[in-house]
Amino acid sequence: MKRQVPHVLMILDLDNFKKINDSLGHNVGDQLLKMIANRINLALPSGANLYRLGGDEFAILIESQLDIGSAATLASSVIGTLDSPLAIKDQQLVVGVSLGIVFYPDDETDEQAILRKADIAMYAAKTAGGNRYHFYSDSLNDNALRQLDVENQIREGLRHDYFEVYYQPKMCLKTNNIIGMEALVRLIHPENGIVSPAEFIPLAEETGLIVDVGEVVLKKACVATQQWREDYGFTGRVAVNLSSRQFALPDLEQRIKTILFNTGLPASNLEIEITEGTVIEHPEKAIRVMQKLTRMGIHLALDDFGTGYSSLTYLKRFPIHSLKIDKAFIDDIDKSDRDLKMVDSIITIAHNMGLKVVAEGVEEQSQLSVLRALNCEEIQGYIFSKPVPRSDFGELLKQK
C-alpha cells in the first residue's frame, strides 16, 4: 500500500466454518471455501479484489474511493451472500461471516498496523454475535488492548496461583441452616487488585483458558469442603460451575474422579452446575455425559433456568437433581404478578419432576416470603450472605 490514495480493507472471518470442517472433513471444507469465495466475488464492485489470508479468513481490498455509507452497504451485501445455505453432498450448510473494516490512510498508513486494526474490528463483530460488520475505532483498539492485558493476567494467575475461590451459602428455607454453597472464582492480582469475573470469565471461555481455571476452582473447592467436613461435620454439597468447554472434555469424568480421590471428598458432597446453554446445543451428548456423572454419585443442577431454550422434552430426560432459578426472575417476584406466576410455574414443574429448586439472588425479605409461600426449598443471595473467602465461610459454618 505505497500509493497515497483512499483504500478500504475488509477482513472476513467465517463464523462457524471450523466446526463444519472438523465434523465433515477437509475435503468438504475446501469445497465450501470455494463456494463461499465465488458468492462473495459476485457481490464485489469493480476495483475490489478478494484474497484468502489462510484458514477461514479472507480480505477484500477496494482501491476506489468509498465513504462510510457505501462501505457499510457493501459489507451488508457481502454478509447477505451467505444468508442462504450452501449445498454439499446432500447437506445444507449455513456459514456466517464477521467483517472488520478500516480505511487507508484515514485509520492507518502502516501496512501491518492496518491489518491489525482490521482484525480488531472483525473480532469486535464476532464478539457482538457474528454475521455483522464493525468499523475500526480507537475505542475498539482500547478494548482489544484491555482484553490482551486481562488475558495476560489470567495466564499469570494460573502460573502464580492468583485465583481464589469464594463461597456463597445455600440456605434451606425449612431449617434456616446452611446446606451447601456455590464456589465462585475470583482473580486477585497482587498489583492490579480484583479483576471482575464479568470481564475475565468470558475471555477465559473464548481463549480456552477456562478449562485450566475451572480445574483450579474444582480442586480448591473440594479441598475446602473436605476440610469443613472434618472440622465441622459439614454434610452438604459444594456446587461448582462447569463451563461448556469443560463439559465437552472427553476425559471429564476421569478428571473429576482424580480430583475427588486426591482430595478425599466423597462424590455425594459435590454438585456440578451446568447452564442451559451448555447442554442445549448437543442435548443427546449432554445426557450421556450427565449420566456418567450421576453414576459417580455427583449431584447435578441446571443453572440459570429460564434464560435458555431448553424444551420440556429434554428437561425430563436430563438426569438432574435440582433447578436454579435465575436472579432475573427473582428480582421483581414481590412486585410483578407476571414474574410471580412464572416462578410459581417453574417450581411446580420442577416438583412434578421430582426436582428441588434453588432461587438465586434473593436480597429482600419480601422476596423470601414469596419463595416460602411457593414452597421453594433453597435460596442463595445477599439476604443471608454475599460470596465470602474460605476462612470467612468456615466461620459461618462454625457459628451454625
Side-chain angles (χ1 to χ4, degrees):
M1 296 183 186
K2 302 300 183 185
R3 295 172 295 159
Q4 290 296 310
V5 296
H7 288 66
V8 179
L9 175 66
M10 299 182 179
I11 297 292
L12 294 75
D13 184 86
L14 305 177
D15 289 335
N16 57 335
F17 174 80
K18 287 187 177 67
K19 185 181 295 184
I20 295 173
N21 192 53
D22 290 344
S23 60
L24 299 181
H26 295 299
N27 288 336
V28 171
D30 289 343
Q31 292 180 56
L32 193 58
L33 287 172
K34 291 176 184 177
M35 295 174 70
I36 290 169
N38 288 335
R39 282 200 184 181
I40 293 174
N41 264 319
L42 292 175
L44 299 183
S46 59
N49 294 292
L50 178 67
Y51 304 91
R52 185 183 174 199
L53 298 181
D56 57 353
E57 274 200 359
F58 291 84
I60 297 172
L61 181 61
I62 303 159
E63 297 191 5
S64 57
Q65 186 171 358
L66 286 184
D67 58 23
I68 290 178
S70 300
T73 300
L74 176 57
S76 295
S77 298
V78 169
I79 293 170
T81 62
L82 299 180
D83 282 348
S84 57
L86 298 115
I88 299 180
K89 292 186 176 181
D90 298 325
Q91 296 198 59
Q92 299 293 314
L93 304 176
V94 178
V95 178
V97 60
S98 297
L99 195 152
I101 308 170
V102 292
F103 289 89
Y104 174 89
D106 292 350
D107 289 324
E108 184 59 65
T109 56
D110 178 78
E111 293 180 7
Q112 293 301 316
I114 200 169
L115 281 169
R116 179 179 61 81
K117 290 184 174 181
D119 265 333
I120 289 172
M122 181 270 290
Y123 279 114
K126 185 177 285 290
T127 302
N131 223 36
R132 66 191 67 199
Y133 61 85
H134 252 301
F135 289 95
Y136 172 81
S137 68
D138 288 338
S139 62
L140 286 181
N141 187 49
D142 292 342
N143 183 58
L145 292 174
R146 174 58 183 167
Q147 286 191 324
L148 180 61
D149 179 52
V150 172
E151 182 180 339
N152 288 334
Q153 290 188 61
I154 295 171
R155 296 182 187 277
E156 194 177 350
L158 288 168
R159 286 196 304 270
H160 301 293
D161 195 25
Y162 295 155
F163 286 99
E164 294 188 18
V165 180
Y166 278 42
Y167 301 89
Q168 186 169 40
K170 290 183 181 180
M171 306 299 298
C172 173
L173 289 185
K174 287 185 178 179
T175 65
N176 282 332
N177 287 331
I178 298 174
I179 57 171
M181 60 283 194
E182 181 178 359
L184 299 162
V185 64
R186 298 290 185 264
L187 174 53
I188 305 177
H189 194 278
E191 296 175 3
N192 302 323
I194 296 178
V195 182
S196 169
E199 186 172 29
F200 80 78
I201 288 179
L203 190 57
E205 284 270 13
E206 183 182 329
T207 59
L209 292 170
I210 195 67
V211 172
D212 293 327
V213 173
E215 191 133 332
V216 168
V217 174
L218 183 58
K219 287 178 182 176
K220 292 193 172 191
C222 288
V223 167
T225 305
Q226 178 60 17
Q227 189 65 54
W228 292 325
R229 291 179 72 245
E230 295 171 2
D231 291 349
Y232 308 115
F234 177 68
T235 59
R237 299 184 188 92
V238 61
V240 180
N241 294 279
L242 210 64
S243 73
S244 57
R245 285 184 181 263
Q246 286 176 283
F247 193 75
L249 291 171
D251 61 342
L252 174 65
E253 183 184 10
Q254 187 55 52
R255 285 173 181 246
I256 296 176
K257 280 183 178 178
T258 300
I259 291 173
L260 291 174
F261 177 80
N262 290 338
T263 60
L265 183 71
S268 57
N269 291 105
L270 175 63
E271 181 173 78
I272 297 294
E273 293 189 0
I274 308 164
T275 64
E276 284 187 81
T278 297
V279 298
I280 199 58
E281 188 172 351
H282 302 289
E284 296 296 339
K285 182 180 178 181
I287 289 170
R288 291 193 294 272
V289 174
M290 288 189 283
Q291 287 171 340
K292 289 180 181 179
L293 296 179
T294 54
R295 281 196 293 268
M296 290 170 58
I298 295 171
H299 275 237
L300 297 180
L302 193 61
D303 196 12
D304 297 339
F305 184 76
T307 61
Y309 304 95
S310 291
S311 70
L312 292 178
T313 302
Y314 281 115
L315 182 60
K316 71 179 183 180
R317 295 180 56 203
F318 290 154
I320 57 177
H321 302 87
S322 61
L323 290 182
K324 296 192 74 177
I325 303 178
D326 187 75
K327 181 181 184 298
F329 293 100
I330 303 301
D331 285 341
D332 295 323
I333 194 174
D334 54 337
K335 307 178 187 71
S336 165
D337 189 54
R338 184 177 182 181
D339 284 7
L340 172 63
K341 289 179 178 178
M342 190 170 293
V343 172
D344 186 19
S345 298
I346 293 173
I347 292 175
T348 299
I349 291 171
H351 288 170
N352 288 340
M353 297 175 65
L355 306 176
K356 290 188 175 181
V357 178
V358 183
E360 293 186 286
V362 182
E363 299 178 354
E364 306 292 339
Q365 186 63 46
S366 53
Q367 296 169 341
L368 186 62
S369 298
V370 172
L371 290 166
R372 285 187 191 277
L374 296 178
N375 295 317
C376 179
E377 287 90 353
E378 302 173 20
I379 64 105
Q380 67 182 88
Y382 278 33
I383 191 169
F384 181 76
S385 174
K386 64 181 180 180
V388 295
R390 174 177 173 175
S391 58
D392 291 354
F393 191 83
E395 286 300 312
L396 287 176
L397 290 178
K398 187 177 180 180
Q399 293 168 17
K400 283 289 180 178

